Every structure is written in structure tokens, then in C-alpha cells.
């Protein structure tokens, strides 16, 4: 049985590709890659087809994994049936997903950071207008959430 996970943010060039990369890296290290299907998507269409933001790529490289091959795409209706769990990076992403979800959607929709076990941290803040430090924090938050998520599955 495959578990199918979709990570979602606004542009699909900073946070959700970082989360996808962090989860892939974790699964590779645990030898569990074959058991999971991973993808990421955005709710906004400004960066469709683009590689992750260079600053996100660099932060992931500093953490030891590569996200350069990922390309931005939009969330689509089929995602709400295909994936088991859709993970929103922030509360706007969560409300957009709930609004887009068909009434008979089968995917669970949750905040990614609800799995992180970091009291008081509910969201992955948008690093787009931030610094390299903010991109490193994005990686660290995603790694914590992915660890907790894997433990919960
Ligand atoms: P992301 O960051 O949602 O983490 O990919 C953003 C990327 C682009 C924009 C906003 C957030 N933008 O406004 O273009």
C-alpha cells in the first residue's frame, strides 16, 4: 500500500517543494521511499513550470538534499481524490484548499506543522520576502513536520 502525500503552499516555489524534498530525503534515509508517493503544488499561478526559488534550492542544499528538479504546478481537482493527505503550509493555504475541495473529496487536509510537535508553531511562514535565515528556518520547520508526520503514519 502506497501512502500519497501532497504538500501545498501559495507559489509552489519555496515552502511546499522544500517540504517535499525534506520528506523525500527522510524517506530515502529510512529506506521507505517505495512506500510513499510525494508531490507538491500551489494555490497561486504566478510561477507555473518554474524550478524552486534559488534561495530555497540553496537552503535545501545546505541541509543536504536537492530540490532543483521540481517544477511548480497548481492544485487541481483530481488531487483531492488521488492523495491520502494534503498538507497545507499556512492557514491561507488551508482555507483555499477547503474552498477548492469537491464535496466528495477523499483526501484529508491538515496543517503541515500540526505534525511537528513544536508547541505554538502552527504554520510555515512565507519566506518569499525574507532572508537566507528565513529559508533555513523553512527547511528546519519542514524537517520537524516530516519527522512527526512519518511517525504518525
Ligand atoms: P511559497 O512562497 O508559497 O512558499 O512558494 C511564495 C512564492 C511566490 C509568491 C508568494 C509566496 N509570490 O507572490 O509570487
Amino acid at each position: 500500500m502506497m501512502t500519497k502525500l501532497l504538500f501545498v503552499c501559495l507559489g509552489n516555489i519555496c515552502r511546499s517543494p522544500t517540504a517535499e524534498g525534506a520528506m523525500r530525503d527522510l524517506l530515502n534515509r529510512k529506506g521507505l521511499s517505495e512506500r510513499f508517493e510525494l508531490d507538491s503544488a500551489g494555490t497561486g499561478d504566478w510561477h507555473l513550470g518554474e524550478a524552486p526559488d534559488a534561495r530555497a534550492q540553496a537552503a535545501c542544499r545546505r541541509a543536504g538534499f536537492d530540490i532543483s528538479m521540481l517544477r511548480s504546478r497548481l492544485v487541481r481537482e483530481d488531487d483531492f481524490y488521488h492523495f491520502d493527505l494534503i498538507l497545507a503550509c499556512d492557514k491561507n493555504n488551508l482555507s483555499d484548499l477547503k474552498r477548492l475541495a469537491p464535496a466528495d473529496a477523499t483526501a484529508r487536509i491538515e496543517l503541515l506543522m500540526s505534525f511537528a510537535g513544536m508547541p505554538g508553531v502552527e504554520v510555515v511562514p512565507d519566506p518569499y520576502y525574507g532572508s537566507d535565515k528565513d529559508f533555513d528556518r523553512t527547511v528546519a520547520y519542514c524537517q520537524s513536520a516530516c519527522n512527526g508526520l512519518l511517525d504518525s503514519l
Side-chain angles (χ1 to χ4, degrees), residues 9-15 46-47 126 128:
C9 63
L10 180 59
N12 192 211
I13 55 166
C14 299
R15 292 166 292 175
W46 307 284
H47 300 281
D126 187 348
Y128 191 63

Side-chain angles (χ1 to χ4, degrees), residues 3-104:
T3 300
K4 298 175 188 167
L5 305 175
L6 180 68
F7 299 91
V8 172
C9 63
L10 180 59
N12 192 211
I13 55 166
C14 299
R15 292 166 292 175
S16 60
T18 296
E20 179 184 349
M23 192 66 181
R24 185 155 287 129
D25 179 52
L26 176 63
L27 293 172
N28 281 339
R29 287 187 279 109
K30 301 255 184 197
L32 294 170
S33 305
E34 307 303 308
R35 305 249 298 265
F36 288 83
E37 180 183 321
L38 308 181
D39 201 359
S40 63
T43 59
D45 64 2
W46 307 284
H47 300 281
L48 297 184
E50 290 180 19
D53 187 288
R55 298 164 297 170
Q57 291 192 39
C60 290
R61 241 182 345 260
R62 287 193 285 279
F65 59 94
D66 178 23
I67 59 168
S68 63
M69 76 299 291
L70 302 178
R71 294 294 177 269
S72 174
R73 74 165 177 89
L74 274 174
V75 174
R76 53 179 182 256
E77 185 173 325
D78 169 67
D79 292 328
F80 294 97
Y81 303 100
H82 180 76
F83 289 94
D84 300 300
L85 183 53
I86 301 180
L87 297 145
C89 286
D90 68 28
K91 291 181 182 178
N92 288 325
N93 308 145
L94 183 68
S95 57
D96 286 340
L97 284 165
K98 288 186 170 167
R99 183 175 46 76
L100 291 167
D104 63 346

